[in-house]
Amino acid sequence: MKKLLRNLEKSSNFSYVIKVGLIAYLSKFLPFILVVFPQGLNFLNSLESPSYVNTFIPPTYFVLLVIASLVVSPLLETLIFQHFVILIGLKLTKAKWIVILISAILFAFAHGRSFSILLALPTGIILASSYVFKLRKSKSAAFWSTAGVHFVVN
């Protein structure tokens, strides 16, 4: 773990965003490994599909949706769930792990209900940890690096 942290510390911002982004993206599969595989694929069939899944999206709205999910969401969510929550949390307690956990839980609950929360929780933990890790350098580095990681994940 120390070797990984040293490697990340020495990485350029671009390299850091790509490496942590890929780790966060792969972490989305953790709930599947822990929940779905033991129960079999029938678990996925038991989940209700949202009514909007088969809805046609006009090309203009699709482009706006892509821009929103790749640009607007990472910026706003990093501002709310990492920047504000972590900075306020670190003023209240010095226990970084508690602040990271609170940030991750809020992030996960904002991303849906039931199984969606499990999918977003590992990503929330990685994003919050990334923010705290980069906060040693500066608030700006923490914000932009974490928003970049979120961009890669989306």
Side-chain angles (χ1 to χ4, degrees), residues 47-63:
L47 296 174
E48 290 184 32
S49 294
S51 60
Y52 58 83
V53 168
N54 295 322
T55 304
F56 174 74
I57 300 174
T60 306
Y61 293 125
F62 181 75
V63 170

Side-chain angles (χ1 to χ4, degrees), residues 56-73 151:
F56 174 74
I57 300 174
T60 306
Y61 293 125
F62 181 75
V63 170
L64 292 174
L65 184 64
V66 168
I67 291 170
S69 68
L70 292 180
V71 179
V72 177
S73 289
F151 171 84

Side-chain angles (χ1 to χ4, degrees), residues 1-11 19 133 136:
M1 187 64 148
K2 287 183 181 182
K3 190 175 182 180
L4 173 66
L5 291 175
R6 268 191 246 114
N7 183 304
L8 289 174
E9 234 171 28
K10 293 177 183 177
S11 297
K19 289 174 186 175
F133 181 74
R136 296 184 305 182

Side-chain angles (χ1 to χ4, degrees), residues 81-101:
F81 299 112
Q82 282 84 45
H83 186 72
F84 290 146
V85 171
I86 290 172
L87 291 180
I88 291 168
L90 290 176
K91 287 183 181 179
L92 299 174
T93 180
K94 297 297 177 198
K96 292 177 182 175
W97 69 271
I98 291 175
V99 176
I100 289 170
L101 196 58

